[in-house]
């Protein structure tokens, strides 16, 4: 067992108290742990701090402030804790104890059988929901005619389906044994699974699906959203994807009957939130053709993976797409892109994704006034075409600025 140097608690600030599932008490001076991140992470984190500190100060006239608490992961953790210590236990403990935290991108260490650090964080803290809001900021180059019609939030299941998938290689002894076993259960399988097939198993259950869908429904209720859509491939996979849909409707009926109504039961207008379902392939069409008819989406792991990137592209790409991984007690907000090592420490990369992840964090904490100010500052800065290289090269008449200049302008524009 590695021994860890205990992180010292910051001298100033208080902890966010978890009172129960999804119930928090946020003090005026919360301690928020952050991981700077590898590659471009240091530049982005600095920029995010500039913007968020300015917004909180302006919104609350100095009454509230965030006490940033640096914890370590990735290359900086190895520098501090020694070889191989990419994800110290102290960091995970801090994420759990302080409830809300934020991280820059982390490089996946090469070789030595390392799992992605992001996957490890999600698994150890059981952050079962990957949450990605997708909306358009005016002026951002987009490949579609009406990107402003997209205003959705994705709840992607983080622990089952292909994330818990089991696979056996074509021609392996295990694949052969599994095929034989399946044939013993149902002889028809002999025709369906060829002898040379690799075999994958995808588990999905009511516990994992319902807690994810419950979170999506609660979000829809708390934020006055008009609909929630269960996205599945139940026409083909009845007992996993189809069951995801059925568990969703079951949950809506059992726990939220006073707030939700199934689309098929709506006659005329309703003031309840509509719960509906769409087959995944049709949902991709709908996202392009009628995006304004969709608001909160709940999806199993693989569908959610595709849908997050496709929707992000529709509103201008991953460069400004925010995200969070959460349970009912712990939330880790993060930039959705990687560490882009070739731009490390050049003060060049776009901090938009991390800044908007911090906006999600402020909303989660109930600090909506500060969140609104950041969005206002960001909107204005983009409208002024004062942007980092990735956007500048696609926007006619723009001024290309450094990462830090972009952040400072957002703060000025609030
Ligand atoms: P990447 O997202 O780091 O970079 C791909 C390209 O996208 C970059 O070369 C750059 O051109 C552009 N880009 C990314 N972020 C940008 C930003 N903020 N501003 C401007 N341009 C930006 O993907 P990659 O090169 O495949 O991965 C690099 C490392 O990051 C890998 O080790 C990977 O495992 C890791 N990674 C981490 C996360 C995470 O921490 N959540 C996510 C994805 C990848």
């Amino acid at each position: 067992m590695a021994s860890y140097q205990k992180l010292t608690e910051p001298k100033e600030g208080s902890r966010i108290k978890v009172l129960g599932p999804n119930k928090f008490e946020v003090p005026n001076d919360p301690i928020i742990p952050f991981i700077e991140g590898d590659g471009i992470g240091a530049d982005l984190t600095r920029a995010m701090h500039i913007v968020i500190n300015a917004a909180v100060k302006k919104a609350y006239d100095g009454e509230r402030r965030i006490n940033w608490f640096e914890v370590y992961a990735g290359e900086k953790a190895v520098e501090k804790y020694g070889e191989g210590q990419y994800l110290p236990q102290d960091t995970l403990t801090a994420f759990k104890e302080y409830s809300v935290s934020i991280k820059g991108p982390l490089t996946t260490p090469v070789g030595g059988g390392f799992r992605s650090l992001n996957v490890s964080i999600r698994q150890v803290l059981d952050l079962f929901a990957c949450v990605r809001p997708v909306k358009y900021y005016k002026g951002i180059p987009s490949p579609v005619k009406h990107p402003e019609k997209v205003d959705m939030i994705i709840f992607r299941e983080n622990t089952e389906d292909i994330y818990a998938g089991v696979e056996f290689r074509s021609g392996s002894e295990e694949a052969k044994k599994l095929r034989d076993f399946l044939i013993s259960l149902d002889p028809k399988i002999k025709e369906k699974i060829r002898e040379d097939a690799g075999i994958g198993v995808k588990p999905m259950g009511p516990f994992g699906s319902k807690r994810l869908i419950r979170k999506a429904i609660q979000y829809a209720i708390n934020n006055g959203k008009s609909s929630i859509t269960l996205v599945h491939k139940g026409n083909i996979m009845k007992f996993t994807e189809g069951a995801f849909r059925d568990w969703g409707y079951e949950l809506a009926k059992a726990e939220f009957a006073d707030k939700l109504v199934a689309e098929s039961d709506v006659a005329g207008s309703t003031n309840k939130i509509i719960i509906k379902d769409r087959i995944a392939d049709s949902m991709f069409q709908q996202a392009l053709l009628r995006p304004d008819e969709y608001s909160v989406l709940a999806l199993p792991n693989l569908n959610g993976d595709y849908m997050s990137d496709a929707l992000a592209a529709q509103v201008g790409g991953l460069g400004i797409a925010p995200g969070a991984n959460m349970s009912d007690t712990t939330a880790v907000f993060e930039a959705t892109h990687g560490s882009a090592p070739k731009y490390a420490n050049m003060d060049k990369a776009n901090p938009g994704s991390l800044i908007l992840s911090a906006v999600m964090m402020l909303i989660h904490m109930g600090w909506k006034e500060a969140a609104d100010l950041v969005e206002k500052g960001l909107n204005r800065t983009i409208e002024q075409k004062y942007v980092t290289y990735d956007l500048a090269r696609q926007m006619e008449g723009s001024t290309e600025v450094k990462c830090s200049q972009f952040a400072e302008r957002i703060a000025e524009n609030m």
Side-chain angles (χ1 to χ4, degrees):
M1 268 297 274
S3 67
Y4 300 105
Q5 174 195 335
K6 180 86 184 114
L7 289 167
T8 41
E9 178 147 83
K11 289 201 175 62
E12 287 178 42
S14 322
R15 287 175 193 229
I16 292 177
K17 273 198 206 123
V18 180
L19 306 174
N22 298 309
K23 288 208 173 74
F24 309 96
E25 193 178 280
V26 181
N28 281 340
D29 60 347
I31 297 165
I32 308 268
F34 70 96
I35 292 172
E36 191 179 80
D38 296 324
I40 54 176
D43 287 343
L44 303 190
T45 298
R46 215 172 298 122
M48 183 272 289
H49 285 165
I50 291 173
V51 172
I52 302 306
N53 288 342
V56 170
K57 190 167 176 196
K58 187 166 174 142
Y60 308 111
D61 222 2
E63 291 240 325
R64 290 180 178 174
R65 66 182 288 257
I66 291 174
N67 293 283
W68 300 104
F69 172 27
E70 183 164 16
V71 296
Y72 301 92
E75 287 151 16
K76 229 174 159 180
V78 172
E79 275 169 35
K80 212 172 160 60
Y81 290 82
E83 210 178 312
Q85 302 298 322
Y86 284 98
L87 186 59
Q89 181 58 43
D90 284 353
T91 298
L92 294 166
T93 304
F95 275 11
K96 206 171 168 58
E97 286 185 1
Y98 294 92
S99 176
V100 171
S101 51
I102 186 161
K103 61 173 278 292
L106 292 168
T107 300
T108 302
V110 180
F114 283 110
R115 275 188 308 185
S116 143
L117 299 176
N118 299 300
V119 173
S120 301
I121 292 172
R122 273 178 229 157
Q123 287 181 341
V124 174
L125 298 174
D126 193 24
L127 306 175
F128 62 82
C130 175
V131 184
R132 299 257 176 104
V134 195
K135 74 175 184 192
Y136 181 64
Y137 290 90
K138 200 170 154 208
I140 299 269
S142 151
V144 300
K145 281 194 194 139
H146 289 291
E148 73 287 352
K149 289 189 178 175
V150 178
D151 184 0
M152 298 187 214
I153 180 158
I154 291 177
F155 286 77
R156 171 189 174 200
E157 208 286 326
N158 243 350
T159 66
E160 294 194 311
D161 190 7
I162 60 161
Y163 265 8
V166 182
E167 281 197 295
F168 296 109
R169 197 186 295 275
S170 156
S172 68
E173 194 51 35
E174 292 89 344
K176 186 179 172 313
K177 273 192 194 157
L178 183 54
R179 179 172 179 269
D180 289 345
F181 173 67
L182 292 170
I183 293 169
S184 76
L185 296 178
D186 178 359
K188 283 198 274 303
I189 288 175
K190 198 168 185 179
E191 316 300 322
K192 283 202 217 165
I193 304 180
R194 293 196 186 92
E195 248 176 299
D196 65 351
I199 303 182
V201 178
K202 106 198 203 110
M204 284 165 64
F207 174 78
S209 299
K210 282 187 179 177
R211 67 177 176 171
L212 181 271
I213 297 167
R214 184 180 294 111
K215 203 157 193 59
I217 293 176
Q218 274 159 349
Y219 178 90
I221 294 171
N222 295 343
N223 293 278
K225 299 292 179 184
S226 56
S227 73
I228 159 153
T229 307
L230 308 166
V231 184
H232 60 90
K233 194 68 192 155
N235 52 332
I236 304 294
M237 290 170 273
K238 298 198 172 18
F239 302 130
T240 49
E241 301 268 336
F244 179 85
R245 171 202 55 209
D246 298 343
W247 291 320
Y249 283 124
E250 210 175 281
L251 176 82
K253 219 176 196 167
E255 296 181 22
F256 300 99
D258 56 329
K259 301 262 180 8
L260 260 59
V261 58
E263 187 180 39
S264 52
D265 294 339
V266 180
S269 67
T270 174
N271 51 14
K272 287 187 176 179
I273 299 169
I274 293 175
I275 180 162
K276 51 191 171 183
D277 73 280
R278 293 291 180 269
I279 291 174
D281 39 81
S282 143
M283 186 62 224
F284 277 85
Q285 280 197 15
Q286 296 281 303
L288 285 167
L289 301 175
R290 301 163 173 262
D292 45 355
E293 292 180 12
Y294 297 88
S295 174
V296 180
L297 307 184
L299 312 94
N301 188 270
L302 182 59
N303 299 334
D305 192 17
Y306 299 149
M307 190 52 87
S308 310
D309 278 25
L311 279 178
Q314 220 164 306
V315 296
L318 281 173
I320 59 151
N325 289 297
M326 35 175 66
S327 68
D328 288 334
T329 54
T330 311
V332 179
F333 296 84
E334 67 168 354
T336 51
H337 51 71
S339 56
K342 69 178 174 189
Y343 297 120
N345 302 317
M346 289 168 70
D347 196 14
K348 187 175 168 79
N350 185 351
S353 170
L354 192 62
I355 290 172
L356 287 171
S357 302
V359 167
M360 284 175 78
M361 181 184 86
L362 293 170
I363 294 170
H364 177 78
M365 288 160 56
W367 291 18
K368 191 168 179 314
E369 301 78 8
D372 287 346
L373 280 180
V374 179
E375 287 210 302
K376 190 167 144 193
L378 182 73
N379 271 324
R380 277 201 191 147
T381 307
I382 292 168
E383 276 179 27
Q384 291 164 356
K385 300 189 175 186
Y386 194 83
V387 289
T388 46
Y389 85 96
D390 52 316
L391 297 177
R393 66 186 172 190
Q394 303 177 66
M395 286 165 82
E396 219 171 289
S398 59
T399 310
E400 181 183 324
V401 299
K402 290 176 184 298
C403 172
S404 55
Q405 291 173 312
F406 183 64
E408 281 153 14
R409 178 63 74 94
I410 294 173
E412 280 162 31
N413 273 335
M414 281 171 195

